[in-house]
Amino acid sequence: MSLDVSDPLAVARASAAAMWEKDLASRSLGMSLDAIGPGEAQLSLTITVEMTNGHKTCHGGYIFTLADSAFAFACNSYNQNTVAQHCSVTFLRPAFAGDRLSASAREVSRIGRGGIYDITVTNQNGEHVAEFRGHSRTVKGTPIPVPD
């Protein structure tokens, strides 16, 4: 099956499928890839007791990881290998065991080899848990082969 490079949604879906197959980190944590499109992605994760810290709240590293995974799928949605160059997160409220967190990534800017993406993490009640900003950089290669 060849990729129809003229269809941005098909490119985004095929790129995400190729990445998801190899993304052991996101899958092993129990994340789900809920939506994908050009420059956007949504992933979700249920927080387990094993993901909580000494305050009995979700460890911030898991929230960051969920947002980072959404960032990765959004910035790789053009079938160009893209990596994080810089990321920052602001935690707004705690999450707890049993919470279902969703990370929604959207492209802010994509110029040359660089991109900026904002990711909003919310809980099952729609409350903002964190805001994440990622700066991306394209590198050589593609998630899926491109026809000549």
Side-chain angles (χ1 to χ4, degrees), residues 17-68:
M19 284 185 52
W20 186 255
E21 184 179 325
K22 298 174 187 171
D23 188 345
L24 299 178
S26 297
R27 290 187 1 236
S28 71
L29 288 172
M31 290 183 199
S32 65
L33 176 59
D34 303 323
I36 189 71
E40 58 189 39
Q42 183 173 338
L43 276 75
S44 58
L45 169 69
T46 299
I47 302 307
T48 65
V49 172
E50 294 81 11
M51 295 175 180
T52 60
N53 59 24
H55 299 291
K56 295 190 178 181
T57 61
C58 178
H59 189 290
Y62 289 103
I63 298 169
F64 184 99
T65 300
L66 174 63
D68 186 47

Side-chain angles (χ1 to χ4, degrees), residues 101-131:
L101 301 184
S102 294
S104 298
R106 70 172 184 83
E107 185 176 275
V108 174
S109 173
R110 185 170 156 258
I111 300 170
R113 293 179 54 209
I116 299 173
Y117 294 78
D118 283 341
I119 297 84
T120 299
V121 179
T122 57
N123 65 18
Q124 68 278 0
N125 300 318
E127 299 168 321
H128 285 124
V129 172
E131 291 291 333

Side-chain angles (χ1 to χ4, degrees), residues 60-61 63-73 75-76 82-91 105 115-119 131-137:
I63 298 169
F64 184 99
T65 300
L66 174 63
D68 186 47
S69 289
F71 167 46
F73 280 92
C75 68
N76 279 277
T82 307
V83 297
Q85 184 176 31
H86 171 77
C87 302
S88 63
V89 65
T90 302
F91 299 106
I116 299 173
Y117 294 78
D118 283 341
I119 297 84
E131 291 291 333
F132 177 107
R133 176 160 271 195
H135 297 248
S136 68
R137 188 76 167 171

